[in-house]
Amino acid sequence: MCGCSSTKVSTANRDSKLRYDVECAGQEGKTGTFLVMTWVYSTKANISTDLIKEAAIRGILFRGYQGEGCVSQRAMINNPAVESEKADFFDTFFRSGGRYLNYATALENSFEVVKLSNKEYKTGMAVSVSKDALRKALEDAGILRKLSDGF
């Protein structure tokens, strides 16, 4: 990023720079949600909870996750090109304070920081993602086909 005010950075470009992992964090018991442990890698020990929530949503949408003692989940969006094809939607969705925050709740007292080296930290938090509400929002926006369309 050049820091120029006229330069727009799309979410697809941001995702390639955002390093994160998402893994199952157990069963939350609330229908329609995923409970995931989300790790963000950075040069700072303290990163925002919103960045961890963004990584959790991105992981659910574009990567899926695995975990011990949990059922693995495929990515909601199987085509990686969708993010760049629908850049207008995702730029708005993932902007600072964007709609993605409506679908993720960070669990208190789950914040962890692991120092990997002198220049890198792994910061994590358990995040509950409202998968059913997120899917409906993506269907309404034309990003995903409605499940009922196939029947």
Side-chain angles (χ1 to χ4, degrees):
M1 206 157 53
C2 75
C4 307
S5 60
S6 62
T7 301
K8 181 178 179 183
V9 177
S10 73
T11 59
N13 190 13
R14 178 175 165 84
D15 191 46
S16 67
K17 294 179 182 178
L18 181 62
R19 289 186 46 227
Y20 62 92
D21 291 320
V22 177
E23 58 193 42
C24 177
Q27 305 297 324
E28 187 176 5
K30 190 173 180 183
T31 303
T33 63
F34 289 140
L35 182 61
V36 293
M37 186 66 183
T38 306
W39 298 96
V40 175
Y41 299 86
S42 76
T43 57
K44 300 176 186 175
N46 292 324
I47 60 169
S48 73
T49 302
D50 286 356
L51 185 61
I52 295 172
K53 291 177 184 179
E54 177 183 347
I57 297 290
R58 284 184 179 281
I60 297 293
L61 291 179
F62 303 111
R63 294 184 182 178
Y65 63 85
Q66 296 183 0
E68 292 185 30
C70 299
V71 176
S72 297
Q73 297 296 322
R74 293 183 319 163
M76 281 186 163
I77 299 173
N78 296 323
N79 180 357
V82 168
E83 188 173 10
S84 59
E85 291 169 1
K86 304 284 187 174
D88 289 341
F89 172 82
F90 286 110
D91 286 345
T92 302
F93 187 78
F94 284 117
R95 74 173 180 233
S96 180
R99 289 183 47 213
Y100 74 94
L101 292 171
N102 296 332
Y103 308 102
T105 305
L107 276 60
E108 292 185 30
N109 301 323
S110 66
F111 191 81
E112 295 181 44
V113 178
V114 178
K115 188 173 184 174
L116 299 175
S117 69
N118 286 339
K119 298 181 181 181
E120 186 174 36
Y121 295 87
K122 175 173 124 172
T123 305
M125 190 167 220
V127 178
S128 175
V129 176
S130 301
K131 70 172 172 107
D132 290 349
L134 178 60
R135 179 170 188 86
K136 179 160 180 16
L138 294 173
E139 289 173 349
D140 291 347
I143 306 296
L144 293 176
R145 285 186 0 170
K146 295 185 180 194
L147 291 175
S148 61
D149 285 352
F151 301 104

